[in-house]
Amino acid sequence: AFLRFIHIDTRSEFLGDQGRTSIIMHRWFHNGEIPLSGPTTLTGQHLGPVFYYLLVPAQLVGSNFPIIAAVWLSLIGVFAVAMLFHTVRMVYGNAAALVVALLFAVSPVIAQGDRTIWEPNLVPLFTILFAYFAIRQHHHVGFLDNVGLGAASAILVQLHYPNLYFLGLVAVLFVGHSIRVRQWDTLLRASAGWILGFVVCIFPFIVYETGNGFRDIREILQIIYTGTSGIGKRAALANSIDYAGRIFGFVLPGITTGVSVGLLAIWSVFLMLRFNSWNIFWTSWFAIGLLIMARYNGVVFDHYLLFLLTPVLFGVASVYRWGEQIPLVRWALFSLLVLVVGLQIYRNDLWRPGYGDLA
């Protein structure tokens, strides 16, 4: 919380994207123009309007005062840290959950993003919620859990189009669960709950697209189809290593190409030693998503990759859970954690002049 709220008035950006959001919220609450579509992407397609809906509490309190919106999003960021701790604890226990939550909390990328009024910065929270409902669904196919999984999927899709990936991931999750328990009727029950949650949360955007001939959806699907052609194997491999390093860099300092390759190699060995359903799931989530992005022949900005951060965090938790049972490894991991946290706090923008956009 300290890294997010300290001097928030001078450390929150307010540029074109933030101005656009402010105008939309003003028109909604002063002119009654309810947004049915969201911001546009760089290629001109509309996202869903869910980001504006998530800003309603700040609008009610602050009447379009940007600093209130920044505070509200920072509160959501603090909730994301707590939710990450709770979700990781469900699988790996308190110690591993505390380690991962701490890495996430002190990340300069995450802390700075949490106080910026920009829709991609909410992606980590909803990928954590996706993991939370997926874990609950793994233990017991509860209807409400699958409604929550559908809602998280719909919100992710509306925050950024690379998150369409979760539509495929949830299908793998459901089919895998049915195979594991050997009960195919669970697939129907899970799908019904998921569809309900998904449709309810994306319904305003469906209304908008229906009135516009589904132009944005058609164009995005066309971009996805054409954007994954023309990339050779070597280029895709180079992209994979580059993107993996950028994802690791969200929560770890000093990531170079060599370090990135080393971390991938270490995880490959660890996966062979600890070959269980959760490690397979985190690896599949990360590796398949990484390969898809590596095949994209356009520019891939860092925020395009935020949907792959959560499986990395769970991978760290898995390694720590294993290591804490071995005294020497436990102390080595703890020493490394102290070093990383110290470096990350130092890398935060506490020690540099603020933007002054909202001051």
Side-chain angles (χ1 to χ4, degrees), residues 236-248 252 255-272 282-283 286-287 290-291 308 312 319:
L237 177 61
N239 287 343
S240 297
I241 296 172
D242 175 35
Y243 299 163
R246 288 201 244 166
I247 297 164
F248 299 152
L252 297 173
I255 298 296
T256 63
T257 299
V259 172
S260 180
V261 171
L263 290 174
L264 291 171
I266 290 171
W267 177 256
S268 299
V269 173
F270 180 77
L271 179 63
M272 290 187 288
W282 310 131
T283 302
F286 179 78
L290 186 68
L291 291 175
L308 296 177
V312 171
V319 172

Side-chain angles (χ1 to χ4, degrees), residues 145-291:
D145 292 328
N146 287 298
V147 171
L149 194 63
S153 302
I155 292 171
L156 282 165
V157 168
Q158 294 179 76
L159 291 175
H160 210 244
Y161 278 121
N163 298 331
L164 285 166
Y165 175 71
F166 287 94
L167 303 187
L169 187 62
V170 78
V172 171
L173 180 68
F174 285 170
V175 172
H177 179 81
S178 297
I179 293 173
R180 183 175 62 88
V181 300
R182 299 180 182 180
Q183 294 180 2
W184 288 99
D185 62 317
T186 62
L187 179 61
L188 296 176
R189 288 188 282 118
S191 299
W194 184 88
I195 291 171
L196 176 61
F198 186 86
V199 170
V200 167
C201 285
I202 207 170
F203 185 74
F205 189 51
I206 293 176
V207 171
Y208 171 81
E209 286 295 296
T210 300
N212 288 273
F214 293 93
R215 181 186 68 85
D216 299 292
I217 294 175
R218 287 188 290 104
E219 290 182 359
I220 280 296
L221 292 177
Q222 180 65 25
I223 290 172
I224 293 173
Y225 177 75
T226 59
T228 54
S229 60
I231 295 290
K233 294 181 179 179
R234 290 186 179 181
L237 177 61
N239 287 343
S240 297
I241 296 172
D242 175 35
Y243 299 163
R246 288 201 244 166
I247 297 164
F248 299 152
F250 289 149
V251 290
L252 297 173
I255 298 296
T256 63
T257 299
V259 172
S260 180
V261 171
L263 290 174
L264 291 171
I266 290 171
W267 177 256
S268 299
V269 173
F270 180 77
L271 179 63
M272 290 187 288
L273 296 175
R274 307 285 291 184
F275 196 74
N276 57 54
S277 59
W278 284 122
N279 284 344
I280 294 170
F281 181 63
W282 310 131
T283 302
S284 300
W285 178 344
F286 179 78
I288 296 172
L290 186 68
L291 291 175

